Amino acid sequence: MGGASGAYGFSGDSDAIAFADTVWNMFFKGKADQRPFDDAVLDGIDLDIEGGSGAGYPEFINQLRTHYASDPSRKYYIAAAPQCPFPDVYLSSTLNSAWFDMVYVQFYNNYCGLNAYPGWFNFDEWDNWVKTKSINKDVKVYIGAPGSPSAASSGYIDGKQLASIYHN
């Protein structure tokens, strides 16, 4: 949810909670007249917030988690895809105040991308965030990497280089 372009965000907490209800009803186990994927049920949502304001996202997540708890028959997830500069401009306060299951840091299109390894590459800052600030101390932080040179403006590295960074 979100992305690099477009205008989106919440006008306040009540707007965020109402949108979480709509998302639950349209894409998860809720009921709605319009369900874009018919009776298919998603297993989670990913926040890729790259614009607007960070307002309301903790409430959105907390409301979704309330809905998730109403269906113990399956596991549901909340993920985020922040930009690599730490702290993330749009998601920082949300990352520090809501429960995330996984975070796919976008290590591309920024000075701290994979192509900056080892100098400006900052996976260690994200790892430290897990240990010191994240509500979920078991949250998984993943390296978000472009799959091809055309998939990002900068930051692409080949699989051999990525494996080398991973093993270091």
Side-chain angles (χ1 to χ4, degrees):
M1 186 172 106
S5 60
Y8 54 85
F10 301 116
S11 61
D13 294 350
S14 61
D15 187 32
I17 290 167
F19 189 64
D21 294 339
T22 299
V23 168
W24 174 258
N25 289 327
M26 291 180 73
F27 299 100
F28 292 93
K29 283 284 211 104
K31 304 280 186 232
D33 292 336
Q34 294 182 349
R35 289 191 51 92
F37 304 134
D38 198 23
D39 62 351
V41 176
L42 298 182
D43 67 353
I45 196 158
D46 178 38
L47 299 179
D48 179 15
I49 309 306
E50 298 184 40
S53 160
Y57 289 102
E59 291 72 23
F60 171 79
I61 292 168
N62 291 335
Q63 183 68 7
L64 266 183
R65 289 229 176 261
T66 299
H67 288 303
Y68 288 4
S70 73
D71 179 18
S73 70
R74 66 186 304 162
K75 175 86 169 137
Y76 295 100
Y77 301 95
I78 302 282
Q83 300 287 307
C84 62
F86 188 87
D88 181 84
V89 172
Y90 302 105
L91 276 174
S92 180
S93 64
T94 303
L95 287 166
N96 291 338
S97 61
W99 184 282
F100 285 88
D101 299 292
M102 59 205 82
V103 175
Y104 296 90
V105 181
Q106 296 180 46
F107 285 106
Y108 51 91
N109 294 340
N110 282 292
Y111 68 89
C112 47
L114 290 161
N115 57 329
Y117 180 84
W120 289 97
F121 180 69
N122 67 342
F123 185 89
D124 58 331
E125 290 183 68
W126 288 97
D127 188 50
N128 186 57
W129 164 78
V130 170
K131 296 171 186 166
T132 61
K133 298 219 174 170
S134 174
I135 290 176
N136 176 7
K137 299 301 183 208
D138 293 322
V139 64
K140 304 299 181 221
V141 177
Y142 295 94
I143 296 173
S148 73
S150 62
S153 299
S154 66
Y156 173 77
I157 59 171
D158 64 33
K160 187 175 181 179
Q161 290 173 290
L162 183 57
S164 175
I165 291 170
Y166 174 78
H167 291 294
N168 287 330

